[in-house]
């Protein structure tokens, strides 16, 4: 193992060259279709060693182990789960032999475990964390120099891998994601959000690998060049694969990748390698092109405090618009919400989340402090509900360590823990959770003696919290401080001390400041007047992040005006956009009075399964006919989901949730349809082709198609061509959907299409998979190509009904 500071020093003084796509060489030299490459570590180590040796001779100075799919969960597909540790240890030994005689670092490769985590898939966080922990421990035991987490598309899975790596390995960790279109992963995460999550969890370098080709990766890495001081890493594919004379080929030449290697170096990328389709010749050309080049220092902005959801990052800094935390998901003083939570229901939680997001909240606070309930379970469920409903980062409002940990396991991005006091025992329980889960923490300036009277005393408690947090390994930018607002009607002099404390904390400690604004007016008439005045004064005194009611128009007006006056709204663009007139102040009533069809539409759109059947029954009682309700409300709602998906406003989790909610509603309505209208729209057979054991994408397509009314027969993975043809003929399928993720198995699709036609099966064939393209579909005679589940729905509609 190398030291982390040595890794950083090398990465900042020389461009480190990684290897290329090991899988291509192994496939060319004997790896069988459907065989796990990692199995060769046990059965044919010489083959692996010789292939890796070629990359070393080509000039690679970071050599990845043949362990990309070597978690226990992934190896279980090949009957190797019980030998997982042996597979990993052997891989490190093989790489050491391949690197012998050269100044080469051996990097333990950690890829996806083969199952999506909830809500996209069925895997819980803990089993994912455990399988990655097992792999990391074995790689560390074998003596790798560093770890590289790569080709992650699900940010929760990436968090599990990164947490396991940091927990069980003391050396450097490179953390990488793959972006399907150069902008987002298939589950919606963008480059800045991925960086935000990995950086807080302790990554030593951030990178992007696989994806499509160097062009798309160049665009993605450009989004984070100024956002971090970490070394950056890229490993692009040699383009998207094509079929030429029956063989899988990658279009990017060695010279093309070398050209982009120079471009990457010129903008400040520190580690450069290649991925699928890139052989030793590609690496050799890159080494030659980069000869003599040094890493280029990157400019970086000073905005480092960030919180994130799965697909959105909120930056909190003095040169950007003021951010706010919505406070309404809190049962304190709200009888209706409190009673609903006691019954285990979350309709109001979901509604408040959606409405606060619409009102302009940037972050949502979630508090489940109801006496007599199981707070850890309720907070976990509330986080799941809110994350499925909106794309805002979350603030976990609890002082219960068990509840906080339960919530953090569900967090998809980077949360704020609200809160910890200056009490020693509480600091020692909460701060390790923030460090382990990569969360920011909000410190309150009070201890076992209560809230200090003076600003100076609050400053000292803030200083204690900051110092203790730094000692626990938290970064300065992840420490937030709240000097606490007290009720001015009871203790008038305390509000001025709060404002003084804000300014002193900001000036002397330089941390992000937070304040619950509305507390100041409790018990007073015309509270909004006091709140907005105090908010304005607090912002002038260094408040970064107010906690407030986002439905308060006066608070929103104050923030827009302060953005303008504090030079956070260039050219008054936002102010002019918002205020052509002034609306009266309004607050959320908690009751949605819109017509039932509009509420039902939103119920599908936002996946509100809890109340969807209640809305269906209400609509039926109000005179809606089942068929009309389906055609005029449910289907248009799903179409809106598709539109938002295309516009990158929704991503896979929202699509699946909406589709599943639609299915619940449809099953009820279907019982009321006329007999000739209650049938499926058509029958589709799905299968992953022979030799391919990847089925995550196929399973998602299956779920979405079923919820759009199609009868789906899923034949599973590694399905023989004869079985596909037999089932398609006997079941009279309208469509056959074929999936492949491996470049070696995509050629099987052509064989399936040929045999279907030879057997006279009239079913139309659509294909999909990460390695496929529309041109490949045309070349093998497929009727359609679906790059994702939503496109698959549109294609089958178009081919069968002539509409999309």
């Amino acid at each position: 193992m190398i030291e982390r500071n040595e890794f950083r020093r090398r990465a900042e003084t020389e461009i480190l060259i990684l290897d290329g796509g090991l899988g291509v060489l192994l496939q060319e030299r004997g790896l069988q279709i459907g065989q796990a490459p990692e199995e060769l570590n046990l059965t044919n180590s010489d083959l692996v060693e010789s292939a890796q040796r070629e990359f070393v001779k080509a000039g690679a100075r970071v050599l990845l182990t043949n362990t990309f799919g070597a978690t226990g969960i992934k190896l279980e597909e090949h009957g190797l789960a019980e030998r997982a540790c042996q597979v990993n240890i052997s891989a490190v030994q093989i790489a050491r032999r391949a690197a012998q005689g050269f100044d080469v670092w051996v990097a333990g490769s950690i890829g996806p475990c083969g199952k999506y985590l909830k809500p996209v898939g069925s895997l819980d966080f803990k089993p994912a964390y455990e399988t990655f922990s097992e792999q990391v421990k074995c790689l560390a035991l074998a003596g790798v120099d560093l770890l590289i987490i790569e080709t992650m598309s699900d940010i929760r899975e990436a968090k599990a891998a990164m947490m396991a790596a940091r927990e069980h390995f003391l050396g450097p960790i490179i953390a990488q994601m793959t972006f399907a279109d150069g902008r987002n992963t298939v589950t919606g995460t963008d480059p800045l959000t991925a960086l935000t999550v990995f950086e807080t969890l302790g990554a030593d370098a951030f990178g992007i690998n696989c994806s499509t080709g160097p062009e798309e990766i160049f665009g993605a890495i450009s989004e984070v060049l100024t956002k971090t001081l970490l070394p950056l890493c890229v490993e692009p594919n040699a383009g998207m694969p094509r079929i030429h004379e029956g063989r899988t080929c990658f279009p990017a030449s060695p010279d093309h990748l070398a050209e982009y290697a120079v471009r990457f170096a010129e903008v400040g990328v520190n580690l450069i390698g290649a991925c699928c389709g890139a052989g030793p010749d590609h690496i050799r050309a890159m080494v030659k092109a980069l000869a003599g080049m040094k890493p280029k220092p990157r400019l970086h902005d000073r905005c480092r405090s960030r919180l994130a959801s799965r697909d959105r990052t909120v930056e909190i800094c003095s040169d950007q618009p003021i951010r706010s935390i919505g406070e309404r998901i809190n049962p304190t003083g709200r009888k209706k919400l409190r009673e609903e939570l006691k019954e285990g229901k979350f309709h109001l939680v979901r509604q408040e989340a959606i409405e606060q997001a619409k009102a302009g909240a940037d972050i949502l606070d979630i508090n489940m402090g109801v006496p007599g309930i199981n707070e850890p379970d309720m907070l976990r469920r509330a986080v799941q509900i809110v994350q499925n409903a909106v794309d805002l980062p979350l603030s976990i409002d609890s002082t219960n360590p068990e509840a906080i940990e339960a919530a953090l396991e569900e967090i998809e991005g980077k949360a704020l823990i609200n809160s910890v006091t200056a009490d020693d025992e509480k600091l020692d329980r909460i701060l390790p959770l923030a460090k382990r889960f990569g969360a920011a923490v909000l410190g309150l300036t009070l201890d076992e003696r209560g809230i200090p009277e003076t600003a100076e005393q609050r400053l000292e408690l803030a200083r204690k919290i900051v110092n203790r947090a730094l000692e626990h390994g938290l970064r300065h930018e992840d420490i937030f401080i709240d000097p606490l607002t007290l009720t001015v009607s009871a203790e008038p002099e305390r509000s001025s001390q709060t404002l003084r404390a804000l300014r002193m904390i900001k000036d002397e400690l330089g941390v992000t400041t937070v304040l619950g604004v509305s507390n100041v007016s409790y018990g007073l008439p015309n509270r909004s007047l006091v709140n907005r005045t105090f908010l304005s004064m607090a912002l002038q005194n260094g408040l970064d992040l107010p906690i407030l009611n986002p439905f308060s128009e006066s608070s929103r007006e104050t923030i827009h005006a302060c953005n303008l006056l504090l030079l956070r709204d260039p050219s008054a663009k936002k102010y002019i956009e918002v205020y052509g007139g002034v609306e009266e102040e309004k607050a959320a009533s908690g009751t949605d009075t819109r017509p039932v069809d509009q509420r039902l539409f939103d119920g599908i759109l936002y996946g509100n399964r809890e109340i969807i059947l209640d809305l269906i029954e209400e609509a039926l009682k109000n005179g809606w006919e089942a068929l009309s309700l389906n055609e005029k409300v449910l289907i248009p709602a799903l179409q809106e989901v598709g539109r938002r998906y295309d516009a990158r406003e929704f991503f896979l989790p929202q699509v699946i949730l909406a589709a599943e909610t639609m299915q619940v509603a449809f099953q009820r309505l279907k019982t009321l349809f006329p007999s000739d209208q209650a049938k499926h729209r058509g029958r589709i057979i799905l299968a992953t082709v022979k030799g391919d054991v990847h089925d995550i994408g196929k399973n998602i397509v299956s779920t979405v198609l079923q919820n759009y009314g199609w009868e789906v027969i899923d034949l599973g993975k590694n399905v023989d061509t004869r079985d596909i043809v037999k089932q398609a003929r006997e079941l009279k399928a309208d469509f056959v959907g074929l999936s492949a993720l491996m470049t070696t198995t995509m050629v099987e699709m052509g064989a399936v299409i040929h045999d279907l036609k030879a057997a006279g099966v009239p079913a139309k064939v659509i294909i999909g998979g990460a390695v496929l393209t529309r041109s490949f579909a045309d070349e093998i005679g497929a009727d359609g190509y679906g790059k994702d589940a939503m496109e698959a729905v549109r294609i089958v509609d178009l081919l069968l009904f002539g509409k999309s």
Side-chain angles (χ1 to χ4, degrees):
M1 181 187 74
I2 59 174
E3 296 294 329
R4 296 175 69 184
N5 56 3
E6 171 63 10
F7 171 83
R8 185 67 172 263
R9 185 194 67 78
R10 287 276 300 271
E12 290 178 347
T13 56
E14 61 183 284
I15 296 173
L16 298 172
I17 308 297
L18 287 75
D19 61 13
L22 177 63
V24 173
L25 292 188
L26 297 180
Q27 291 161 9
E28 291 176 351
R29 301 179 186 192
L31 178 67
Q32 300 299 306
I33 293 177
Q35 183 182 16
E38 295 78 12
E39 183 181 349
L40 297 177
N41 297 340
L42 305 179
T43 62
N44 196 343
S45 62
D46 289 343
L47 175 61
V48 179
E49 181 183 338
S50 64
Q52 290 184 320
R53 184 75 173 179
E54 289 197 30
F55 282 120
V56 172
K57 290 181 177 179
R61 291 301 173 257
V62 181
L63 185 64
L64 276 62
T65 57
N66 183 33
T67 55
F68 177 80
T71 60
I73 290 177
K74 186 68 177 174
L75 290 175
E76 188 175 7
E77 299 173 353
H78 304 278
L80 293 171
E82 294 185 358
R83 303 179 71 185
C85 201
Q86 184 183 357
V87 167
N88 283 277
I89 291 174
S90 296
V92 177
Q93 295 169 343
I94 294 167
R96 286 288 182 209
R97 293 198 298 270
Q100 192 170 3
F102 291 85
D103 180 18
V104 170
W105 287 340
V106 171
S109 171
I110 300 174
C113 69
K115 294 183 179 179
Y116 274 128
L117 274 67
K118 295 176 179 177
V120 179
S122 59
L123 189 64
D124 286 319
F125 183 86
K126 283 185 177 178
Y129 172 80
E130 289 166 358
T131 197
F132 286 122
S133 293
E134 177 190 15
Q135 184 179 18
V136 171
K137 290 176 183 177
C138 296
L139 290 169
L141 179 65
V144 292
D145 294 311
L146 66 153
L147 297 177
I148 181 164
I149 298 167
E150 55 179 344
T151 324
M152 291 288 175
S153 60
D154 177 2
I155 193 66
R156 280 197 78 207
E157 181 181 21
K159 285 183 69 174
M162 185 65 214
M163 285 176 59
R166 194 75 288 162
E167 182 82 13
H168 302 293
F169 183 69
L170 299 178
I173 303 169
I174 303 172
Q176 302 192 136
M177 297 283 284
T178 180
F179 296 90
D181 56 6
R183 295 181 301 162
N184 300 92
T185 69
V186 295
T187 58
T189 301
D190 59 277
L192 179 58
T193 295
L195 168 67
T196 297
V197 171
F198 283 136
E199 193 170 36
T200 311
L201 286 168
D204 296 278
F206 171 72
I208 302 172
N209 80 297
C210 202
S211 302
T212 49
E215 298 85 355
E216 290 78 10
I217 285 187
F218 188 85
I221 203 70
S222 296
E223 293 185 21
V224 299
L225 290 174
T226 64
K227 298 296 184 179
T228 183
L229 297 174
L230 291 181
L232 296 176
C233 179
V234 296
E235 292 182 284
N237 285 346
M240 290 296 285
R242 302 171 182 171
I243 299 297
H244 179 68
E245 296 180 353
R247 296 180 66 250
T248 305
C249 302
F250 288 81
S253 67
D255 287 343
H256 184 65
L257 280 195
E259 175 189 342
Y260 265 91
V262 171
R263 292 188 62 185
F264 285 125
E266 288 174 342
V267 297
V269 176
N270 311 75
L271 299 97
I272 303 173
C275 202
C276 301
D281 288 343
H282 292 83
I283 301 303
R284 189 173 292 106
M286 293 164 63
V287 170
K288 181 179 179 181
L290 293 168
M293 295 188 70
K294 298 289 183 182
K296 180 180 179 181
R298 302 191 308 271
L299 297 175
H300 61 91
D301 62 34
R302 54 196 179 99
C303 187
R304 303 291 303 284
S305 290
R306 304 187 190 105
L307 300 174
S309 64
R310 174 185 287 271
D311 50 24
R312 179 178 177 181
T313 294
V314 172
E315 297 183 295
I316 306 153
C317 46
S318 59
D319 60 352
Q320 293 203 19
I322 297 160
R323 311 297 187 183
S324 65
I325 299 177
E327 65 183 6
R328 303 255 322 156
I329 305 178
N330 189 326
T332 304
R334 302 189 63 195
K335 182 179 179 180
K336 187 175 181 180
L337 176 58
R338 189 165 59 250
E339 293 303 317
E340 185 179 274
L341 292 175
K342 285 182 177 179
E343 296 174 4
K345 298 179 180 178
F346 292 87
H347 168 58
L348 283 179
V349 170
R350 183 191 299 275
Q351 181 178 320
E352 286 287 3
I354 294 170
E355 294 305 318
Q356 287 186 98
K358 290 179 179 178
D362 299 289
I363 300 152
L364 295 184
D365 190 71
I366 301 180
N367 182 301
M368 292 287 110
V370 178
I373 68 169
N374 183 333
E375 187 185 4
D377 181 62
M378 293 295 284
L379 196 52
R380 179 192 298 275
R381 292 171 63 190
V383 167
Q384 294 169 347
I385 292 290
V386 174
Q387 287 185 146
N388 285 333
V390 298
D391 65 350
L392 301 184
L394 302 183
S395 167
I396 307 304
D397 191 348
S398 175
T399 57
N400 180 340
E402 290 75 24
I404 292 171
E405 182 169 6
L408 290 175
E409 286 182 357
E410 300 300 322
I411 289 293
E412 297 172 340
K414 175 185 174 183
L416 173 66
I417 296 175
N418 177 17
S419 55
V420 66
T421 68
D423 179 84
D424 289 326
E425 181 180 352
K426 292 179 179 179
L427 286 168
D428 288 338
R429 295 193 69 186
I430 300 300
L431 294 178
L433 289 175
K435 174 61 177 175
R436 179 170 179 247
F437 284 93
V441 67
L442 174 59
L444 306 182
T445 56
L446 78 153
D447 57 15
E448 62 276 9
R449 295 167 295 182
I451 303 174
E453 291 187 4
T454 69
E456 288 78 8
Q457 291 170 323
R458 296 188 207 181
L459 172 64
E460 288 312 305
L461 289 185
R463 194 187 310 277
K464 175 182 177 180
I465 294 169
V466 170
N467 289 338
R468 290 290 292 277
L470 293 173
E471 290 171 6
H472 277 274
L474 272 71
R475 304 180 309 157
H476 187 269
E477 53 264 40
D478 294 327
I479 306 168
F480 296 22
I481 295 292
D482 182 345
L484 297 170
T485 307
L486 297 173
T487 304
V488 70
S489 60
E491 300 177 275
E493 72 285 352
R494 292 285 193 104
S495 62
S496 63
Q497 293 298 319
T498 296
L499 295 175
R500 288 186 63 234
L502 263 177
R503 174 49 60 195
M504 295 168 71
I505 290 167
K506 195 66 185 175
D507 290 345
E508 296 194 32
L509 302 181
V511 294
T512 298
T513 55
V514 181
L515 205 59
V517 174
S518 61
N519 295 341
V520 74
S521 65
Y522 186 78
L524 291 174
N526 197 2
R527 293 186 63 185
S528 65
L529 174 60
V530 179
N531 289 345
R532 72 187 184 212
T533 304
F534 185 69
L535 172 60
S536 177
M537 296 170 70
L539 290 169
Q540 287 180 297
N541 280 279
L543 174 61
D544 295 304
L545 191 59
I547 303 174
L548 46 75
N549 177 4
F551 303 119
S552 168
E553 185 63 26
S554 63
S555 294
R556 294 207 301 268
E557 288 175 347
T558 299
I559 287 177
H560 284 304
C562 285
N563 279 332
L564 174 66
L565 297 173
L566 296 174
L567 304 181
R568 294 181 171 197
D569 184 7
S571 304
K573 182 178 179 181
K574 185 66 176 180
Y575 187 88
I576 295 171
E577 175 188 326
V578 172
Y579 294 111
V582 180
E583 299 178 0
E584 294 184 3
E585 179 150 340
K586 53 190 176 183
S589 65
T591 301
D592 193 340
T593 58
R594 294 177 300 160
V596 66
D597 57 315
Q598 295 180 22
R599 287 182 281 130
L600 183 56
F601 183 96
D602 278 359
I604 298 295
L605 184 65
Y606 295 108
N608 196 345
R609 286 178 292 187
E610 285 192 313
I611 65 164
I612 202 68
L613 289 180
D614 292 338
L615 292 174
I616 290 289
E617 298 305 325
E618 182 181 345
L620 294 172
K621 288 179 182 178
N622 285 359
W624 278 87
E625 293 183 355
L627 197 59
S628 180
L629 202 58
N630 185 57
E631 293 176 350
K632 295 183 178 180
V633 181
L634 269 62
I635 291 176
L638 266 192
Q639 290 171 338
E640 174 63 11
V641 171
R643 186 198 69 75
R644 294 192 184 194
Y645 181 83
D646 288 341
R648 315 304 287 174
E649 297 170 13
F650 275 13
F651 296 95
L652 203 53
Q654 293 100 322
V655 170
I656 291 176
L657 188 62
E660 290 175 345
T661 304
M662 168 71 172
Q663 184 68 0
V664 172
F666 181 76
Q667 290 302 319
R668 170 66 181 104
L669 292 180
K670 190 170 66 171
T671 64
L672 304 176
F673 289 169
S675 58
D676 61 339
Q677 297 288 335
K679 300 176 182 178
H680 288 289
R681 305 177 75 190
R683 180 174 293 155
I684 300 176
I685 285 178
L686 296 181
T688 302
V689 296
K690 182 179 179 181
D692 203 315
V693 295
H694 301 88
D695 64 353
I696 293 178
K698 172 183 64 63
N699 294 343
I700 292 170
V701 171
S702 174
T703 298
V704 174
L705 284 171
Q706 288 181 66
N707 291 312
Y708 268 80
W710 292 87
E711 180 187 5
V712 176
I713 294 91
D714 190 343
L715 302 183
K717 54 192 176 185
N718 191 21
V719 183
D720 190 273
T721 299
R722 292 169 295 182
D723 292 333
I724 297 174
V725 174
K726 179 175 181 291
Q727 293 294 322
R729 181 174 55 238
E730 293 180 356
L731 296 174
K732 296 182 171 57
D734 299 295
F735 284 93
V736 172
L738 303 177
S739 172
L741 190 67
M742 301 167 60
T743 57
T744 53
T745 58
M746 57 191 284
V747 294
E748 290 292 314
M749 292 178 162
V752 175
I753 293 172
H754 174 272
D755 289 0
L756 284 170
K757 291 180 179 178
V761 177
K764 297 183 182 299
V765 180
I766 57 174
I767 66 170
V771 297
L772 308 182
T773 62
R774 198 174 306 278
S775 60
F776 172 71
D778 294 338
E779 184 176 337
I780 64 174
D783 296 286
Y785 159 72
K787 64 181 176 64
D788 53 52
M790 293 305 296
E791 186 165 320
V793 170
R794 286 191 290 271
I795 287 171
V796 295
D797 275 356
L798 181 63
L799 292 174
L800 200 59
F801 303 116
K803 62 180 182 180
S804 60

